[in-house]
Amino acid sequence: PGHSEAGDAERIRRAAVAGNLAALRRLTGGRLEALRQATDSHGNSLLHCSGHLDVIDYLLDCGLPPTAVNCFGDRPIDLARRKGLPDEVLDRLNKATAAVDDSAGVSGGSEWRRFGATLGPVRLVFLAALLLLLSGLTAFLLTNSSESLTQLEDQGDFADELLPFDADVDYL
């Protein structure tokens, strides 16, 4: 009563981060939509934010997807690894992520998929732009270098004019 959706989402996030399963159950009633809306400004879901096994089990049981990505392309398991969360949390998130990948037909052996998931979409776009820039720069340099060499060759023997060479002097 009298609560805003943003305020409710913030209370839900705080309960998940604190590991307060009773408050999380009371605030959401297991409603998936309430759980999905409780993301932070970086698009982190409650699974990204919580490091408590009982809360993670509850969130997964309610249907919160373990493969959701934040604005940096990180899945909950990616952040959990970086945070150094306990092995039982990592194992639970790994199993949940693998189950979703298996049911979606995603090959676990795909190195490119893992590479892309590790980098995330924002970083992949940046990497693609950088590669495009480098290939354009390389093409520009190669084109201009070959044109410059052709112009120099057309001018004849220019080396003697630029660097006079005395055969009688030992330069070494």
Side-chain angles (χ1 to χ4, degrees), residues 9-84:
E10 180 60 27
R11 282 187 283 284
I12 292 169
R13 268 195 309 278
R14 285 185 189 165
V17 169
N20 190 340
L21 185 56
L24 191 58
R25 284 185 172 151
R26 188 181 71 253
L27 289 166
T28 64
R31 292 174 296 124
L32 182 59
E33 193 55 35
L35 295 169
R36 282 183 190 249
Q37 290 177 356
T39 59
D40 67 13
S41 61
H42 297 291
N44 290 312
S45 73
L46 296 176
L47 285 171
H48 286 91
C49 299
S50 181
H52 303 276
L53 187 58
D54 56 343
V55 170
I56 289 171
D57 283 336
Y58 173 73
L59 296 172
L60 291 170
D61 290 344
C62 289
L64 208 59
T67 54
V69 294
N70 63 15
C71 66
F72 303 108
D74 294 318
R75 300 170 302 170
I77 186 63
D78 302 324
L79 287 184
R81 284 185 188 125
R82 264 190 249 131
K83 291 177 185 177

Side-chain angles (χ1 to χ4, degrees), residues 8-156:
D8 287 344
E10 180 60 27
R11 282 187 283 284
I12 292 169
R13 268 195 309 278
R14 285 185 189 165
V17 169
N20 190 340
L21 185 56
L24 191 58
R25 284 185 172 151
R26 188 181 71 253
L27 289 166
T28 64
R31 292 174 296 124
L32 182 59
E33 193 55 35
L35 295 169
R36 282 183 190 249
Q37 290 177 356
T39 59
D40 67 13
S41 61
H42 297 291
N44 290 312
S45 73
L46 296 176
L47 285 171
H48 286 91
C49 299
S50 181
H52 303 276
L53 187 58
D54 56 343
V55 170
I56 289 171
D57 283 336
Y58 173 73
L59 296 172
L60 291 170
D61 290 344
C62 289
L64 208 59
T67 54
V69 294
N70 63 15
C71 66
F72 303 108
D74 294 318
R75 300 170 302 170
I77 186 63
D78 302 324
L79 287 184
R81 284 185 188 125
R82 264 190 249 131
K83 291 177 185 177
L85 293 182
D87 289 341
E88 59 270 5
V89 171
L90 296 176
D91 290 344
R92 181 66 170 107
L93 287 171
N94 267 327
K95 287 176 185 172
T97 302
V100 171
D101 285 350
D102 289 346
S103 69
V106 176
S107 169
S110 169
E111 294 302 318
W112 283 109
R113 183 190 64 77
R114 289 183 195 166
F115 177 72
T118 301
L119 284 180
V122 172
R123 293 180 189 122
L124 279 176
V125 168
F126 176 75
L127 182 61
L130 182 62
L131 289 174
L132 187 62
L133 177 68
L134 288 175
S135 66
L137 180 62
T138 302
F140 173 78
L141 291 174
L142 289 175
T143 302
N144 287 334
S145 296
S146 62
E147 289 175 6
S148 298
L149 287 175
T150 304
Q151 290 172 354
L152 292 174
E153 288 171 355
D154 291 344
Q155 293 175 3

